[in-house]
Amino acid sequence: MINLKLIETNFNEFNAKLKAKNVGDNVLSELLNAYNSAKSAKLELEELQSIQNSKSKELGIKAKNGEDINALKDELNENKSKIATKSEQVSKLENALETLACSVPNLIDNCVPLGKDENENVEIKRVLSPREFDFSPLEHFELGSKLGWLDFERGAKLSGSRFSALKGMGARLNRALINYMIDFNASRGFELVNVPFLVRPEILFGTGQLPKFADDLYKIKDEELYLIPTSEVPVTNLYNDEILMADSLPLKMTCYSACFRKEAGSASKDTRGMIRQHQFEKVELVCISKADESDKIFDEMVACASDLLSSLGLPHRHMMLCSGDLGFSAAKTIDLEVWLPGQNKYREISSISNCRDFQARRAKIRYKDGKKNTLAHTLNGSSLAVGRTLIAIMENYQQKDASIQIPKVLEKYM
């Protein structure tokens, strides 16, 4: 959640950074009005409480001196009634402010380029050169059909559109990738954790999926449980409402999970193949760090995911997301896009984000910094989306006869 104190201390910058994330003027005006109303009512309450304290002391002195205190008692009772009424008003106004603030995205970092959408993202660099083919490369779903690796018809029979089944060597390669990713991340200092795939709504609130993105989540009927859209949700929230010791940070974790998304609003996008599925697998990187270490950790996470792609021989590029394409909880994000020769384009395969203290404020993740408690910084990133890595290997390592060469680093996992 955003730091509402910035409304007072630096409103112009606060306003500009939210506008850069496509937050409308009406939302900003509503937020400012709600903040001012809550602040004004709270000041009035504090004044009434100050009067109550002052008059209570006066009553004690008068009673001790044997003076008449009936009139003062009546004043205190009347003021007490005003305090109760004002307290209720303050509570309602603060709840309304918090509800509104929960729907407002994180502020962007100063280094984030301004832009409206993905078309204004900025390429930082390219890693490895795409292979030159002496034949027309096929897309992954064509290769998968020829090899018997991917079965979209039976996947749809089981669960509907945007579900698929992996078979034979395709399933073995998928498993090999998961194990290799986990081992690679462990070599970079990320501890493996295993978490539930079902979480309570307050856990999704902590990382910013609720309430804003409820339509993209799968909810269990008659239970207050949701299927996770990414393991970022449960892994970050392992430390929900906890105060950590500063010397225990950073907490660097990696996690394999299935992920479940309704893909609301993407009905016409990537309808063929495995690019955009309702159920997919991912190996995630998550870190909880001290505030002054998150930039260094961010660079480490980007390097980890990029080096993983390089170790697989997959050409890719680093893209700095512009303000209008940033995720709800992110202050800055670098996407890694892998080259897919069958599509003749780069496609996102990893997204690494620094959320600063935005998620920690919602999830109440703090650390003991000397005598005071400080909000932690949280970071997350795909390392990698397993299905898209499988696709990238199929397309980049395909042979003229439609067979697939296996990258050397995966051979022992096969």
Side-chain angles (χ1 to χ4, degrees):
M1 193 157 60
I2 51 174
N3 182 359
L4 291 171
K5 290 180 181 178
L6 294 173
I7 291 178
E8 276 191 292
T9 59
N10 201 343
F11 178 74
N12 289 336
E13 183 179 356
F14 176 86
N15 203 42
K17 286 186 172 182
L18 286 178
K19 281 187 175 181
K21 250 187 170 182
N22 297 328
V23 177
D25 288 335
N26 57 326
V27 175
L28 293 168
S29 297
E30 192 178 347
L31 184 65
L32 179 59
N33 291 336
Y35 179 82
N36 288 334
S37 295
K39 181 186 175 184
S40 177
K42 192 171 182 180
L43 288 172
E44 291 171 5
L45 174 60
E46 289 171 353
E47 177 62 25
L48 289 170
Q49 290 169 333
S50 177
I51 291 171
Q52 192 76 0
N53 291 336
S54 177
K55 288 190 177 292
S56 293
K57 290 178 182 178
E58 184 183 347
L59 182 92
I61 293 170
K62 283 190 174 185
K64 187 176 181 180
N65 294 334
E67 299 177 45
D68 183 8
I69 59 172
N70 287 326
L72 193 52
K73 272 187 174 181
D74 290 340
E75 287 182 43
L76 280 165
N77 287 334
E78 183 181 350
N79 196 65
K80 187 177 181 180
S81 178
K82 289 180 180 179
I83 288 174
T85 300
K86 185 59 68 174
S87 293
E88 186 177 346
Q89 182 190 11
V90 167
S91 180
K92 287 180 179 178
L93 289 170
E94 288 184 337
N95 286 339
L97 174 61
E98 184 173 347
T99 298
L100 181 59
C102 287
S103 66
V104 176
N106 197 2
L107 302 181
I108 64 171
D109 277 2
N110 292 329
C111 64
V112 172
L114 301 181
K116 291 183 178 180
D117 55 37
E118 61 183 11
N119 296 314
E120 297 184 71
N121 293 340
V122 177
E123 183 176 315
I124 299 172
K125 67 175 180 179
R126 298 191 179 193
V127 181
L128 302 182
S129 299
R131 167 187 166 194
E132 292 185 9
F133 289 83
D134 58 4
F135 60 91
S136 295
L138 301 176
E139 291 199 53
H140 72 278
F141 49 83
E142 298 171 295
L143 291 164
S145 177
K146 285 178 177 288
L147 296 169
W149 287 17
L150 308 179
D151 195 329
F152 298 104
E153 289 184 4
R154 290 187 175 91
K157 178 176 69 175
L158 294 173
S159 307
S161 63
R162 295 191 188 270
F163 289 91
S164 59
L166 288 171
K167 296 161 63 178
M169 289 299 288
R172 290 176 64 84
L173 179 57
N174 191 77
R175 186 179 69 172
L177 281 168
I178 293 166
N179 288 330
Y180 176 64
M181 290 174 187
I182 289 169
D183 288 349
F184 188 94
N185 295 339
S187 73
R188 297 296 178 94
F190 290 87
E191 180 185 22
L192 178 63
V193 296
N194 197 356
V195 292
F197 294 174
L198 289 164
V199 294
R200 302 192 313 274
E202 55 265 36
I203 300 305
L204 286 153
F205 173 84
T207 39
Q209 280 76 20
L210 285 179
K212 191 171 179 64
F213 302 104
D215 289 345
D216 214 24
L217 301 171
Y218 284 100
K219 186 178 186 298
I220 305 302
K221 188 177 180 181
D222 301 325
E223 288 191 50
E224 284 300 302
L225 288 172
Y226 290 81
L227 286 165
I228 61 170
T230 164
S231 59
E232 166 205 342
V233 175
V235 176
T236 304
N237 279 284
L238 279 172
Y239 299 94
N240 185 294
D241 200 14
E242 290 190 29
I243 300 173
L244 306 167
M245 298 308 296
D247 60 7
S248 71
L249 301 179
L251 292 169
K252 298 167 67 176
M253 296 164 282
T254 187
C255 181
Y256 157 79
S257 78
C259 306
F260 306 88
R261 299 180 190 175
K262 288 184 179 179
E263 294 292 347
S266 62
S268 62
K269 295 180 181 177
D270 300 307
T271 53
R272 297 190 71 182
M274 288 178 59
I275 290 286
R276 198 179 298 272
Q277 300 267 279
H278 289 311
Q279 177 184 317
F280 58 97
E281 294 171 300
K282 192 149 63 88
V283 174
E284 189 80 358
L285 298 175
V286 171
C287 185
I288 298 172
S289 81
K290 292 187 283 189
D292 60 358
E293 292 183 342
S294 66
D295 283 319
K296 178 174 73 74
I297 299 293
F298 178 78
D299 292 340
E300 288 178 11
M301 290 172 66
V302 172
C304 182
S306 181
D307 291 349
L308 176 53
L309 282 167
S310 295
S311 74
L312 291 166
L314 295 175
H316 58 283
R317 64 180 183 176
H318 294 217
M319 301 291 291
M320 173 70 83
L321 298 197
C322 72
S323 57
D325 197 33
L326 272 181
F328 181 79
S329 297
K332 70 174 177 180
T333 296
I334 287 179
D335 273 5
L336 302 183
E337 296 181 347
V338 70
W339 176 252
L340 296 183
Q343 292 190 18
N344 196 37
K345 64 170 65 172
Y346 287 97
R347 297 299 303 265
E348 179 199 338
I349 195 169
S350 174
S351 192
I352 299 98
S353 299
N354 190 341
C355 299
R356 303 295 180 187
D357 62 8
F358 184 83
Q359 292 179 328
R361 183 174 283 105
R362 297 169 75 102
K364 300 177 184 177
I365 305 171
R366 297 142 290 168
Y367 63 94
K368 184 72 72 176
D369 186 14
K371 292 184 178 180
K372 65 176 183 176
N373 295 332
T374 301
L375 287 169
H377 279 197
T378 64
L379 304 95
N380 63 79
S382 313
S383 183
L384 301 159
V386 179
R388 292 193 180 195
T389 310
L390 176 71
I391 288 168
I393 288 173
M394 291 175 69
E395 292 198 12
N396 282 279
Y397 282 90
Q398 63 181 292
Q399 307 301 304
K400 197 168 187 177
D401 62 358
S403 63
I404 310 293
Q405 183 182 350
I406 302 299
K408 287 289 184 185
V409 293
L410 295 179
E411 288 181 358
K412 69 178 182 179
Y413 293 90
M414 296 291 287

